[in-house]
Amino acid sequence: MKTSNMIRRGAAALVIGGAAVGAMAMPANAAPVSTWDALAECESGGNWGTSTGNGFSGGLQFTPSTWAAFGGSGDPSSASKSEQIRVAENVQAGQGWGAWPACSAKLGLSGGGGGYTPEQPVAAAAAVAPQSTEVQQAAPAAVAEAPVAAPAAPVEAAEVAAPAAVEYTAPAAAVAPAASTGASYTVQAGDTLGSIAAKLGVNGGWEALYASNADAVADANLIFPGQVLNIPA
């Protein structure tokens, strides 16, 4: 082996930890076989069954750990070309073309990586019941209706007390003024209508004298000295 080939093979020794697993699916967007042929020609002179005992084997120069971690079984040198390409595609998907730094740079291969990782046993995720998107609308709280007060009984009109009966006393019949004789009398101290009527002989007595002077004498029992009275006929 050339010394340059030994340096190139160092790239394929990158290992992603983990035990060997079963066959893995070929990564999407795999490179054509012609690209792997060119890479194998650079790495091992195109010898897919090479095994020199230096830790690298196969046409693409795998280390045992890289071969096992990316889906290979047994020894790379005893695997078919297609099997070696399948495992190499897994390595390229996980590490990019930089897994073969010298030869990929010589061939102008770049990019890739991050699209594949060695399979690990993964515990099934506990199924999470999707939360219901239905929004439970809370029933509106019962609103106690305020009792409606019964309408008040119609208010009866207040009884109006009947006015107390007032005894009606008919006014005394107006005394028609007696016809006057044209004579007059000036009341003296101690006179009364009765004494004057008797003294002057008035026809009808004091009543007639009072009637003749009703406009001047308010009370038949009350006359004053000096008061002038008309003498009825």
Side-chain angles (χ1 to χ4, degrees):
M1 287 281 171
K2 296 180 180 180
T3 304
S4 60
N5 286 343
M6 296 293 291
I7 296 174
R8 297 187 192 101
R9 295 186 192 111
L14 297 176
V15 178
I16 295 181
V21 295
M24 302 175 184
M26 181 179 294
N29 302 320
V33 174
S34 59
T35 299
W36 296 112
D37 282 338
L39 187 60
E41 182 66 28
C42 180
E43 289 287 339
S44 63
N47 185 358
W48 294 92
T50 185
S51 178
T52 61
N54 61 356
F56 299 89
S57 60
L60 298 171
Q61 296 295 279
F62 297 97
T63 63
S65 57
T66 300
W67 172 261
F70 286 90
S73 61
D75 185 79
S77 62
S78 62
S80 65
K81 171 183 174 179
S82 60
E83 175 66 1
Q84 291 184 52
I85 292 175
R86 183 189 69 79
V87 175
E89 286 173 332
N90 291 339
V91 174
Q92 192 275 336
Q95 298 181 350
W97 291 110
W100 301 271
C103 287
S104 63
K106 180 178 179 180
L107 298 173
L109 302 175
S110 62
Y116 176 88
T117 54
E119 292 183 2
Q120 298 292 336
V122 180
V128 179
Q131 295 183 354
S132 173
T133 57
E134 181 179 356
V135 178
Q136 297 286 340
Q137 183 175 5
V143 178
E145 296 184 359
V148 179
V155 179
E156 296 182 358
E159 295 184 0
V160 180
V166 178
E167 293 184 2
Y168 177 74
T169 303
V175 179
S180 175
T181 60
S184 62
Y185 176 80
T186 299
V187 177
Q188 303 298 315
D191 282 343
T192 64
L193 290 182
S195 64
I196 295 171
K199 185 193 307 185
L200 297 178
V202 175
N203 187 19
W206 70 267
E207 293 87 346
L209 182 60
Y210 171 67
S212 182
N213 295 279
D215 56 343
V217 178
D219 187 349
N221 296 316
L222 186 60
I223 56 176
F224 304 96
Q227 190 172 9
V228 178
L229 303 175
N230 295 319
I231 305 302

